[in-house]
Amino acid sequence: MDLFYEIQGEGLPLVMLHSPGVDSREWKYVAPRLAQTYKVITFDGRGTGHSPAPQTPINLVEDLRMLLEHLGLERVTLIGHSMGGQAVTDFTLTYPSMVERLVVVAPWLTGFVPSPEYTGWMESVNSAAPDVSRLVELSLAGPNYRITMAGPHRDFLREMTTQYMTRVFTEWKSFEVIWPEPPAIERLESIAVRTMFIHGTVEWPEMFKIAEQFKRIPAIRFVEMDRADHMLTLTHADELARHIDDFIEGKI
């Protein structure tokens, strides 16, 4: 499996995993700021951006491991957003010796069971398939995108989401995602590395419930960003980069 990646800057290696529904361009404002101090690696997951579409079940943890081995990186700081945060959490539990620090940005969590309200909303969005325009419209109308869709980044987010949805229905041959067992929600207290959990205040209630679960990690710090929604990587890039830098430098 080929994956498209980019490297910016020099220094301690940071590897950043993007959210589903978009691609690595969501880091377009955050990565250059961090690259002033660190070596920043971003990549497109299977079927997103410039990476080929999945033909077999997707294993995000193993894709990340093979990328790190390809780049000759033995130990890195991992930064993951949404499902990317889910993936870096599972990676840390699976390959703890390869992780220096862990940063999760509005992450999902393997094994977490969402509310009927959330699953009902997801079902209503998915029911629009394969109408890409309708899927994008319903998805981005979610309450966790209110800030982004009311601001200057809405067209860029819509563009990325449309490209993603189009590829899903025209190129993807497999939609299965394989996660390690047992699920991460059962093992969070096993994470020994310094961890930071960042989220906005404009989110589904599920995000705050997931944050409660992450409190079981012994060395964790929480940052709540006011008036930020799920795409704080776009709307609050400077603030997000500053929090990550402070965390790496030990200021948080």
Side-chain angles (χ1 to χ4, degrees), residues 80-83 85-86 89 104-109 197-198 207 210 214:
H81 176 217
S82 193
M83 187 184 284
Q86 179 179 355
T89 300
V104 289
V105 182
W108 201 248
L109 176 62
F197 187 113
I198 306 174
M207 187 54 58
I210 289 173
F214 269 81

Side-chain angles (χ1 to χ4, degrees), residues 24-196:
S24 62
R25 288 177 295 167
E26 77 156 306
W27 302 114
K28 66 181 289 187
Y29 304 115
V30 179
R33 288 160 175 78
L34 293 173
Q36 295 174 18
T37 308
Y38 310 103
K39 175 184 286 188
V40 177
I41 298 102
T42 57
F43 69 98
D44 291 329
R46 298 189 188 201
T48 73
H50 296 292
S51 290
Q55 307 299 308
T56 58
I58 303 166
N59 190 320
L60 298 173
V61 170
E62 291 306 308
D63 282 354
L64 175 57
R65 178 187 62 81
M66 288 186 282
L67 175 65
L68 297 184
E69 291 180 355
H70 170 75
L71 296 174
L73 298 172
E74 297 180 354
R75 193 170 174 87
V76 300
T77 291
L78 292 177
I79 303 167
H81 176 217
S82 193
M83 187 184 284
Q86 179 179 355
V88 296
T89 300
D90 276 273
F91 185 92
T92 302
L93 288 165
T94 306
Y95 300 107
S97 65
M98 299 183 71
V99 183
E100 183 70 31
R101 299 171 200 81
L102 176 64
V103 178
V104 289
V105 182
W108 201 248
L109 176 62
T110 309
F112 176 78
V113 179
S115 67
E117 291 77 13
Y118 182 85
T119 55
W121 176 77
M122 285 296 298
E123 289 171 0
S124 69
V125 172
N126 292 334
S127 67
D131 185 336
V132 170
S133 297
R134 184 65 176 155
L135 274 168
V136 172
E137 178 186 348
L138 290 173
S139 177
L140 298 184
N144 56 334
Y145 294 116
R146 287 200 304 265
I147 302 299
T148 308
M149 295 307 292
H153 302 288
R154 63 179 177 272
D155 291 340
F156 179 51
L157 177 58
R158 185 179 289 112
E159 174 191 335
M160 284 195 293
T161 306
T162 300
Q163 290 178 0
Y164 170 83
M165 294 291 189
T166 300
R167 293 196 65 194
V168 165
F169 289 103
T170 59
E171 299 179 27
W172 286 41
K173 301 301 182 184
S174 176
F175 303 92
E176 180 184 355
V177 180
I178 299 172
W179 296 101
E181 292 289 347
I185 197 170
E186 299 179 10
R187 301 182 286 154
L188 287 174
E189 58 277 345
S190 301
I191 294 179
V193 298
R194 289 174 54 221
T195 303
M196 182 166 65

Side-chain angles (χ1 to χ4, degrees), residues 29-30 33-34 38 196 198 223 225 236-252:
Y29 304 115
V30 179
R33 288 160 175 78
L34 293 173
Y38 310 103
M196 182 166 65
I198 306 174
V223 173
M225 295 170 59
H236 293 66
D238 285 335
E239 185 179 353
L240 178 59
R242 185 177 72 251
H243 285 307
I244 293 171
D245 182 55
D246 286 348
F247 173 68
I248 295 172
E249 296 300 321
K251 298 176 184 178
I252 297 180

